[in-house]
Amino acid sequence: DTGVSQDPRHKITKRGQNVTFRCDPISEHNRLYWYRQTLGQGPEFLTYFQNEAQLEKSRLLSDRFSAERPKGSFSTLEIQRTEQGDSAMYLCASSNSIIGRLVSNYGYTFGSGTRLTVV
Amino acid sequence: GQQVMQIPQYQHVQEGEDFTTYCNSSTTLSNIQWYKQRPGGHPVFLIQLVKSGEVKKQKRLTFQFGEAKKNSSLHITATQTTDVGTYFCAKGGRNTGFQKLVFGTGTRLLVSP
C-alpha cells in the first residue's frame, strides 16, 4: 500500500451527465476526506468519513453531490446532473484519528486527484 | 467565514534568496499544518504546529507558530529550484484529531536559476 489512489485521473463529461469518482485510502487510515480545488485556490472541504460514518458535510455540497464509504474502506463521490461550475480537481485524503496526543508528524495524505471537466 | 489568509499570494525569487510566507487568522488556532503543492501535483504534508511559539526546522525550512496562536510562518533559506510550488497553511479542528482542515489561500513560489 503506497498511498491514496484515485480513479479516474481525468474525466470529461457533458453537462447534465452523472459522474462517479473512487478513492482508495491508505489501508490503516480510518478517516477519509474529499476536497475540491479550483485553479489558484486552496483545497475546499467537501465531506469526511470516520470509518463508514459520514461525520460532516460542507454547506458547499449541494444535493447533487453524494459520497459513500460503505465498508469503511474505499469511498465514492457522485455528482449528479453535472454543471460547468463543477469543473475542478477533486482530491481525496486519508488520515488516522488521534485523540489526546500531540503528534509532530501527523497530517493528511492526499491522492493525485480526479480532474473533472464539464463541457 | 473561517478563511485563513496567506501573504504574499505570489513571490518570484532568484535561486539562493530566502523566502517567507505568512499565514494569519482572525481567531485563535488550535493547531496549524503546512503543505506543499508542486505544479500539477497534489498537496504534500510538511509539518504540524501545535504549541504557542513553537519553532520547527526541516533542513532549509523553518516553521513558526505565533505566541498568540493566530499566525504562522514558513521561511525557506537559500531557495532552490526544487522549492517551486504553492505553499498552503491549513488550520485544524479543535482536537488534535483533525476533524477537517481549512486551507489558506496559498503562496505560489517561483524560483529562477
Side-chain angles (χ1 to χ4, degrees):
Chain A
D1 187 285
T2 57
V4 178
S5 299
Q6 290 189 248
D7 184 70
R9 291 293 302 271
H10 303 274
K11 178 72 177 178
I12 300 175
T13 190
K14 290 184 178 178
R15 190 174 51 188
Q17 297 293 306
N18 299 343
V19 293
T20 300
F21 311 140
R22 177 179 170 124
C23 172
D24 287 88
I26 291 174
S27 55
E28 56 266 29
H29 285 180
N30 61 345
R31 285 191 172 163
L32 185 148
Y33 307 82
W34 286 99
Y35 280 77
R36 178 171 64 190
Q37 187 175 29
T38 53
L39 198 62
Q41 302 295 315
E44 286 181 302
F45 171 78
L46 295 179
T47 189
Y48 95 97
F49 293 82
Q50 178 153 322
N51 300 313
E52 66 276 7
Q54 188 173 16
L55 296 187
E56 189 171 344
K57 193 173 170 180
S58 168
R59 286 170 293 175
L60 296 173
L61 223 58
S62 76
D63 292 344
R64 297 184 296 106
F65 288 71
S66 62
E68 293 183 345
R69 194 183 183 198
K71 295 183 180 179
S73 56
F74 73 92
S75 176
T76 58
L77 177 68
E78 181 184 16
I79 309 174
Q80 296 182 327
R81 304 181 303 281
T82 51
E83 301 172 357
Q84 286 187 322
D86 297 332
S87 295
M89 175 73 84
Y90 289 83
L91 293 164
C92 176
S94 68
S95 72
N96 256 332
S97 59
I98 301 177
I99 306 298
R101 287 175 55 192
L102 298 178
V103 181
S104 62
N105 294 310
Y106 171 79
Y108 289 5
T109 302
F110 279 90
S112 298
T114 294
R115 181 168 295 285
L116 173 66
T117 302
V118 182
V119 297
Chain B
Q2 300 179 38
Q3 195 173 26
V4 181
M5 301 304 297
Q6 279 185 254
I7 53 171
Q9 281 189 308
Y10 171 80
Q11 188 152 11
H12 185 179
V13 300
Q14 292 294 120
E15 192 171 24
E17 292 181 337
D18 292 356
F19 160 77
T20 305
T21 172
Y22 300 90
C23 180
N24 298 298
S25 171
S26 56
T27 58
T28 301
L29 303 168
S30 57
N31 46 62
I32 197 151
Q33 294 185 354
W34 285 91
Y35 289 77
K36 176 185 178 181
Q37 186 171 22
R38 293 182 187 274
H42 56 274
V44 174
F45 174 70
L46 295 176
I47 207 158
Q48 172 188 299
L49 303 171
V50 179
K51 299 177 183 176
S52 168
E54 191 169 17
V55 178
K56 287 185 179 288
K57 292 192 175 185
Q58 290 180 349
K59 298 183 180 177
R60 295 178 295 104
L61 276 60
T62 301
F63 303 85
Q64 290 192 329
F65 203 4
E67 293 289 342
K69 298 182 76 173
K70 287 189 174 182
N71 55 74
S72 181
S73 65
L74 159 58
H75 179 81
I76 303 179
T77 304
T79 55
Q80 300 175 357
T81 54
T82 53
D83 295 326
V84 165
T86 301
Y87 292 84
F88 292 100
C89 63
K91 64 176 187 178
R94 275 167 284 175
N95 304 318
T96 53
F98 284 108
Q99 287 89 346
K100 73 179 186 189
L101 289 176
V102 175
F103 281 79
T105 47
T107 295
R108 185 178 163 210
L109 172 65
L110 183 61
V111 181
S112 294

